mmCIF file of all heavy atoms in Angstrom:
data_model
loop_
_atom_site.group_PDB
_atom_site.id
_atom_site.type_symbol
_atom_site.label_atom_id
_atom_site.label_comp_id
_atom_site.label_asym_id
_atom_site.label_seq_id
_atom_site.Cartn_x
_atom_site.Cartn_y
_atom_site.Cartn_z
ATOM 1 N N GLU B 26 -54.914 -40.009 123.901
ATOM 2 C CA GLU B 26 -54.832 -38.562 124.141
ATOM 3 C C GLU B 26 -56.094 -38.087 124.814
ATOM 4 O O GLU B 26 -56.130 -36.988 125.457
ATOM 5 C CB GLU B 26 -54.620 -37.793 122.804
ATOM 6 C CG GLU B 26 -55.711 -38.038 121.794
ATOM 7 C CD GLU B 26 -55.450 -39.144 120.787
ATOM 8 O OE1 GLU B 26 -54.588 -40.064 121.180
ATOM 9 O OE2 GLU B 26 -55.872 -39.080 119.692
ATOM 10 N N HIS B 27 -57.190 -38.836 124.753
ATOM 11 C CA HIS B 27 -58.465 -38.406 125.369
ATOM 12 C C HIS B 27 -58.522 -38.678 126.869
ATOM 13 O O HIS B 27 -59.312 -38.134 127.605
ATOM 14 C CB HIS B 27 -59.657 -39.084 124.809
ATOM 15 C CG HIS B 27 -59.899 -38.701 123.329
ATOM 16 N ND1 HIS B 27 -60.887 -39.238 122.504
ATOM 17 C CD2 HIS B 27 -59.234 -37.787 122.549
ATOM 18 C CE1 HIS B 27 -60.753 -38.744 121.356
ATOM 19 N NE2 HIS B 27 -59.844 -37.865 121.291
ATOM 20 N N VAL B 28 -57.566 -39.600 127.352
ATOM 21 C CA VAL B 28 -57.579 -39.935 128.783
ATOM 22 C C VAL B 28 -56.224 -39.673 129.431
ATOM 23 O O VAL B 28 -55.843 -40.210 130.381
ATOM 24 C CB VAL B 28 -57.911 -41.457 128.923
ATOM 25 C CG1 VAL B 28 -59.427 -41.741 128.614
ATOM 26 C CG2 VAL B 28 -56.998 -42.356 128.069
ATOM 27 N N ARG B 29 -55.475 -38.795 128.822
ATOM 28 C CA ARG B 29 -54.081 -38.512 129.222
ATOM 29 C C ARG B 29 -53.990 -37.966 130.627
ATOM 30 O O ARG B 29 -53.010 -38.139 131.341
ATOM 31 C CB ARG B 29 -53.456 -37.428 128.262
ATOM 32 C CG ARG B 29 -54.262 -36.093 128.206
ATOM 33 C CD ARG B 29 -53.634 -35.049 127.244
ATOM 34 N NE ARG B 29 -54.443 -33.895 127.069
ATOM 35 C CZ ARG B 29 -54.577 -33.008 127.953
ATOM 36 N NH1 ARG B 29 -53.875 -33.006 129.066
ATOM 37 N NH2 ARG B 29 -55.356 -32.002 127.792
ATOM 38 N N LEU B 30 -55.094 -37.348 131.176
ATOM 39 C CA LEU B 30 -55.022 -36.732 132.557
ATOM 40 C C LEU B 30 -55.069 -37.849 133.657
ATOM 41 O O LEU B 30 -54.705 -37.511 134.766
ATOM 42 C CB LEU B 30 -56.193 -35.839 132.677
ATOM 43 C CG LEU B 30 -56.142 -34.518 131.901
ATOM 44 C CD1 LEU B 30 -57.375 -33.663 132.193
ATOM 45 C CD2 LEU B 30 -54.848 -33.745 132.181
ATOM 46 N N PHE B 31 -55.534 -39.065 133.344
ATOM 47 C CA PHE B 31 -55.594 -40.036 134.350
ATOM 48 C C PHE B 31 -55.071 -41.443 133.947
ATOM 49 O O PHE B 31 -55.066 -42.339 134.726
ATOM 50 C CB PHE B 31 -57.004 -40.143 134.873
ATOM 51 C CG PHE B 31 -58.035 -40.672 133.851
ATOM 52 C CD1 PHE B 31 -58.220 -42.024 133.606
ATOM 53 C CD2 PHE B 31 -58.746 -39.767 133.163
ATOM 54 C CE1 PHE B 31 -59.183 -42.469 132.634
ATOM 55 C CE2 PHE B 31 -59.654 -40.076 132.184
ATOM 56 C CZ PHE B 31 -59.907 -41.530 132.008
ATOM 57 N N PHE B 32 -54.601 -41.550 132.671
ATOM 58 C CA PHE B 32 -54.102 -42.861 132.240
ATOM 59 C C PHE B 32 -52.628 -42.844 132.127
ATOM 60 O O PHE B 32 -52.027 -42.034 131.369
ATOM 61 C CB PHE B 32 -54.779 -43.235 130.929
ATOM 62 C CG PHE B 32 -54.288 -44.564 130.331
ATOM 63 C CD1 PHE B 32 -54.357 -45.705 131.052
ATOM 64 C CD2 PHE B 32 -53.757 -44.503 129.060
ATOM 65 C CE1 PHE B 32 -53.949 -46.945 130.490
ATOM 66 C CE2 PHE B 32 -53.246 -45.738 128.605
ATOM 67 C CZ PHE B 32 -53.363 -46.963 129.241
ATOM 68 N N ALA B 33 -51.955 -43.751 132.873
ATOM 69 C CA ALA B 33 -50.502 -43.831 132.942
ATOM 70 C C ALA B 33 -49.925 -44.927 132.095
ATOM 71 O O ALA B 33 -48.709 -44.984 131.811
ATOM 72 C CB ALA B 33 -49.932 -43.777 134.311
ATOM 73 N N GLY B 34 -50.687 -45.930 131.772
ATOM 74 C CA GLY B 34 -50.218 -47.093 131.060
ATOM 75 C C GLY B 34 -49.216 -47.958 131.773
ATOM 76 O O GLY B 34 -48.161 -48.346 131.267
ATOM 77 N N CYS B 35 -49.481 -48.227 133.120
ATOM 78 C CA CYS B 35 -48.528 -48.819 133.917
ATOM 79 C C CYS B 35 -48.581 -50.282 133.987
ATOM 80 O O CYS B 35 -47.777 -50.958 134.652
ATOM 81 C CB CYS B 35 -48.615 -48.186 135.330
ATOM 82 S SG CYS B 35 -50.261 -48.527 136.137
ATOM 83 N N TYR B 36 -49.615 -50.954 133.368
ATOM 84 C CA TYR B 36 -49.694 -52.321 133.404
ATOM 85 C C TYR B 36 -48.948 -53.046 132.286
ATOM 86 O O TYR B 36 -48.935 -52.558 131.135
ATOM 87 C CB TYR B 36 -51.139 -52.853 133.422
ATOM 88 C CG TYR B 36 -51.873 -52.543 134.718
ATOM 89 C CD1 TYR B 36 -52.823 -51.554 134.870
ATOM 90 C CD2 TYR B 36 -51.539 -53.291 135.916
ATOM 91 C CE1 TYR B 36 -53.492 -51.303 136.053
ATOM 92 C CE2 TYR B 36 -52.191 -53.078 137.085
ATOM 93 C CZ TYR B 36 -53.147 -52.070 137.192
ATOM 94 O OH TYR B 36 -53.778 -51.773 138.369
ATOM 95 N N SER B 37 -48.415 -54.204 132.462
ATOM 96 C CA SER B 37 -47.697 -54.941 131.432
ATOM 97 C C SER B 37 -48.734 -55.590 130.555
ATOM 98 O O SER B 37 -49.842 -55.841 130.823
ATOM 99 C CB SER B 37 -46.679 -55.990 132.030
ATOM 100 O OG SER B 37 -47.525 -57.005 132.607
ATOM 101 N N ARG B 38 -48.172 -56.016 129.403
ATOM 102 C CA ARG B 38 -49.050 -56.704 128.399
ATOM 103 C C ARG B 38 -49.700 -57.983 129.053
ATOM 104 O O ARG B 38 -50.828 -58.322 128.841
ATOM 105 C CB ARG B 38 -48.274 -57.117 127.108
ATOM 106 C CG ARG B 38 -49.089 -57.802 126.057
ATOM 107 C CD ARG B 38 -48.340 -58.036 124.795
ATOM 108 N NE ARG B 38 -49.168 -58.529 123.758
ATOM 109 C CZ ARG B 38 -49.393 -59.822 123.513
ATOM 110 N NH1 ARG B 38 -48.886 -60.733 124.341
ATOM 111 N NH2 ARG B 38 -50.165 -60.135 122.429
ATOM 112 N N ARG B 39 -48.937 -58.727 129.806
ATOM 113 C CA ARG B 39 -49.356 -59.945 130.457
ATOM 114 C C ARG B 39 -50.432 -59.622 131.472
ATOM 115 O O ARG B 39 -51.466 -60.315 131.575
ATOM 116 C CB ARG B 39 -48.257 -60.712 131.129
ATOM 117 C CG ARG B 39 -48.763 -62.107 131.624
ATOM 118 C CD ARG B 39 -47.561 -62.960 132.022
ATOM 119 N NE ARG B 39 -48.028 -64.241 132.463
ATOM 120 C CZ ARG B 39 -48.349 -65.248 131.601
ATOM 121 N NH1 ARG B 39 -48.146 -65.101 130.411
ATOM 122 N NH2 ARG B 39 -48.763 -66.419 132.065
ATOM 123 N N GLU B 40 -50.331 -58.489 132.199
ATOM 124 C CA GLU B 40 -51.274 -58.098 133.238
ATOM 125 C C GLU B 40 -52.534 -57.690 132.585
ATOM 126 O O GLU B 40 -53.701 -58.206 132.957
ATOM 127 C CB GLU B 40 -50.790 -57.008 134.087
ATOM 128 C CG GLU B 40 -49.604 -57.493 135.028
ATOM 129 C CD GLU B 40 -48.940 -56.326 135.777
ATOM 130 O OE1 GLU B 40 -48.791 -55.238 135.182
ATOM 131 O OE2 GLU B 40 -48.557 -56.501 136.900
ATOM 132 N N TYR B 41 -52.576 -56.740 131.563
ATOM 133 C CA TYR B 41 -53.746 -56.317 131.032
ATOM 134 C C TYR B 41 -54.392 -57.396 130.119
ATOM 135 O O TYR B 41 -55.586 -57.462 129.953
ATOM 136 C CB TYR B 41 -53.665 -54.949 130.355
ATOM 137 C CG TYR B 41 -52.816 -54.858 129.105
ATOM 138 C CD1 TYR B 41 -53.251 -55.446 127.889
ATOM 139 C CD2 TYR B 41 -51.688 -54.093 129.155
ATOM 140 C CE1 TYR B 41 -52.496 -55.257 126.739
ATOM 141 C CE2 TYR B 41 -50.887 -53.987 127.942
ATOM 142 C CZ TYR B 41 -51.338 -54.551 126.861
ATOM 143 O OH TYR B 41 -50.558 -54.421 125.636
ATOM 144 N N GLY B 42 -53.525 -58.164 129.451
ATOM 145 C CA GLY B 42 -53.999 -59.345 128.715
ATOM 146 C C GLY B 42 -54.741 -60.414 129.533
ATOM 147 O O GLY B 42 -55.816 -60.902 129.099
ATOM 148 N N GLY B 43 -54.239 -60.670 130.712
ATOM 149 C CA GLY B 43 -54.820 -61.622 131.624
ATOM 150 C C GLY B 43 -56.198 -61.082 132.089
ATOM 151 O O GLY B 43 -57.092 -61.889 132.306
ATOM 152 N N PHE B 44 -56.252 -59.752 132.337
ATOM 153 C CA PHE B 44 -57.508 -59.170 132.794
ATOM 154 C C PHE B 44 -58.539 -59.261 131.629
ATOM 155 O O PHE B 44 -59.712 -59.538 131.946
ATOM 156 C CB PHE B 44 -57.227 -57.717 133.219
ATOM 157 C CG PHE B 44 -58.359 -57.228 134.144
ATOM 158 C CD1 PHE B 44 -58.237 -57.447 135.534
ATOM 159 C CD2 PHE B 44 -59.414 -56.590 133.649
ATOM 160 C CE1 PHE B 44 -59.271 -56.939 136.393
ATOM 161 C CE2 PHE B 44 -60.450 -56.106 134.482
ATOM 162 C CZ PHE B 44 -60.325 -56.223 135.899
ATOM 163 N N MET B 45 -58.121 -58.993 130.500
ATOM 164 C CA MET B 45 -59.103 -59.144 129.340
ATOM 165 C C MET B 45 -59.557 -60.578 129.234
ATOM 166 O O MET B 45 -60.707 -60.853 128.835
ATOM 167 C CB MET B 45 -58.604 -58.519 128.114
ATOM 168 C CG MET B 45 -59.432 -58.670 126.816
ATOM 169 S SD MET B 45 -61.036 -57.889 127.105
ATOM 170 C CE MET B 45 -60.625 -56.225 126.361
ATOM 171 N N ARG B 46 -58.741 -61.528 129.378
ATOM 172 C CA ARG B 46 -58.957 -62.987 129.384
ATOM 173 C C ARG B 46 -60.155 -63.230 130.326
ATOM 174 O O ARG B 46 -61.009 -63.970 129.999
ATOM 175 C CB ARG B 46 -57.771 -63.766 129.577
ATOM 176 C CG ARG B 46 -57.930 -65.213 129.692
ATOM 177 C CD ARG B 46 -58.034 -65.904 128.337
ATOM 178 N NE ARG B 46 -59.397 -65.943 127.839
ATOM 179 C CZ ARG B 46 -59.762 -65.901 126.508
ATOM 180 N NH1 ARG B 46 -58.908 -65.636 125.640
ATOM 181 N NH2 ARG B 46 -61.020 -66.086 126.197
ATOM 182 N N GLU B 47 -60.005 -62.631 131.600
ATOM 183 C CA GLU B 47 -60.988 -62.832 132.591
ATOM 184 C C GLU B 47 -62.302 -62.314 132.091
ATOM 185 O O GLU B 47 -63.433 -62.964 132.344
ATOM 186 C CB GLU B 47 -60.566 -62.111 133.847
ATOM 187 C CG GLU B 47 -61.606 -61.548 134.692
ATOM 188 C CD GLU B 47 -62.351 -62.591 135.512
ATOM 189 O OE1 GLU B 47 -61.880 -63.663 135.733
ATOM 190 O OE2 GLU B 47 -63.464 -62.249 135.993
ATOM 191 N N ILE B 48 -62.318 -61.141 131.564
ATOM 192 C CA ILE B 48 -63.596 -60.604 131.013
ATOM 193 C C ILE B 48 -64.273 -61.289 129.863
ATOM 194 O O ILE B 48 -65.439 -61.562 129.888
ATOM 195 C CB ILE B 48 -63.364 -59.117 130.621
ATOM 196 C CG1 ILE B 48 -63.002 -58.247 131.898
ATOM 197 C CG2 ILE B 48 -64.519 -58.548 129.861
ATOM 198 C CD1 ILE B 48 -62.650 -56.780 131.598
ATOM 199 N N LEU B 49 -63.421 -61.851 128.979
ATOM 200 C CA LEU B 49 -63.884 -62.643 127.910
ATOM 201 C C LEU B 49 -64.530 -63.980 128.378
ATOM 202 O O LEU B 49 -65.531 -64.329 127.877
ATOM 203 C CB LEU B 49 -62.801 -62.919 126.879
ATOM 204 C CG LEU B 49 -62.352 -61.788 125.983
ATOM 205 C CD1 LEU B 49 -61.139 -62.157 125.226
ATOM 206 C CD2 LEU B 49 -63.485 -61.271 125.067
ATOM 207 N N ASP B 50 -63.895 -64.568 129.336
ATOM 208 C CA ASP B 50 -64.421 -65.800 129.834
ATOM 209 C C ASP B 50 -65.709 -65.637 130.624
ATOM 210 O O ASP B 50 -66.509 -66.543 130.663
ATOM 211 C CB ASP B 50 -63.316 -66.506 130.774
ATOM 212 C CG ASP B 50 -62.189 -67.028 129.915
ATOM 213 O OD1 ASP B 50 -62.229 -67.086 128.675
ATOM 214 O OD2 ASP B 50 -61.132 -67.311 130.628
ATOM 215 N N ALA B 51 -65.835 -64.476 131.144
ATOM 216 C CA ALA B 51 -67.109 -64.241 131.972
ATOM 217 C C ALA B 51 -68.327 -64.055 131.139
ATOM 218 O O ALA B 51 -69.396 -64.547 131.522
ATOM 219 C CB ALA B 51 -66.904 -62.969 132.873
ATOM 220 N N GLY B 52 -68.261 -63.455 130.006
ATOM 221 C CA GLY B 52 -69.476 -63.073 129.243
ATOM 222 C C GLY B 52 -70.113 -61.911 129.910
ATOM 223 O O GLY B 52 -69.702 -61.306 130.868
ATOM 224 N N GLU B 53 -71.300 -61.589 129.445
ATOM 225 C CA GLU B 53 -72.090 -60.500 129.979
ATOM 226 C C GLU B 53 -72.406 -60.847 131.478
ATOM 227 O O GLU B 53 -73.128 -61.884 131.712
ATOM 228 C CB GLU B 53 -73.298 -60.170 129.269
ATOM 229 C CG GLU B 53 -74.015 -58.875 129.737
ATOM 230 C CD GLU B 53 -75.364 -58.624 129.080
ATOM 231 O OE1 GLU B 53 -75.956 -59.618 128.637
ATOM 232 O OE2 GLU B 53 -75.740 -57.464 129.062
#
């Protein structure tokens, strides 16, 4: 509800999950 003006939730679970996997594997 805090980001309702610009967040549509248009990515699938596999898409956003894969992106988080990329971030986790990278580290800082």
Side-chain angles (χ1 to χ4, degrees):
E26 59 268 26
H27 295 177
V28 291
R29 58 182 174 76
L30 293 179
F31 62 87
F32 177 57
C35 60
Y36 287 109
S37 69
R38 183 176 186 272
R39 186 170 184 83
E40 287 173 329
Y41 67 72
F44 201 88
M45 180 57 94
R46 177 77 266 149
E47 148 73 21
I48 290 174
L49 287 173
D50 289 347
E53 188 186 25

